[in-house]
Amino acid sequence: LCIMVNEFVITSGKEIHERVVNFFIDIRNQKQGIGKGIIDHLMKDEHLLFGLTSSFVAQEFYEKLGFKRHKTAVAKYPGQSTYLED
């Protein structure tokens, strides 16, 4: 089992403005409810902001949990990428 959780806390003084959490479950351990359990646990914090970059495969997973697409996501890749819109 491989779980990676990165947490970035953006603060101004002593006040936390947002927390962005990214994680993945090793492909050999997916489809066992582990990721859903982590998200369900984290979503108990009503003030937690999720800012996730999802693989195409995981988009349906997040949509089932109530996630919506973000309108202002941008990226810059070195060279060409099929992930970027023209």
Side-chain angles (χ1 to χ4, degrees), residues 20-69:
V20 180
V21 179
N22 288 308
F23 75 96
F24 72 91
I25 306 300
D26 186 282
I27 195 165
R28 295 167 293 190
N29 298 103
Q30 292 177 4
K31 308 256 186 232
Q32 298 177 32
I34 298 167
K36 182 180 182 316
I38 291 170
I39 294 289
D40 287 346
H41 176 75
L42 292 172
M43 287 177 70
K44 291 177 184 176
D45 180 347
E46 297 174 2
H47 303 289
L48 183 65
L49 174 117
F50 288 85
L52 303 173
T53 301
S54 172
S55 67
F56 292 120
V57 175
Q59 286 181 9
E60 184 179 345
F61 167 79
Y62 289 113
E63 288 169 358
K64 286 181 181 177
L65 293 173
F67 285 74
K68 307 252 186 250
R69 294 182 189 271

Side-chain angles (χ1 to χ4, degrees), residues 2-15:
C2 224
I3 300 173
M4 181 180 82
V5 178
N6 289 328
E7 181 175 24
F8 303 92
V9 180
I10 301 169
T11 63
S12 173
K14 295 180 181 177
E15 182 179 344

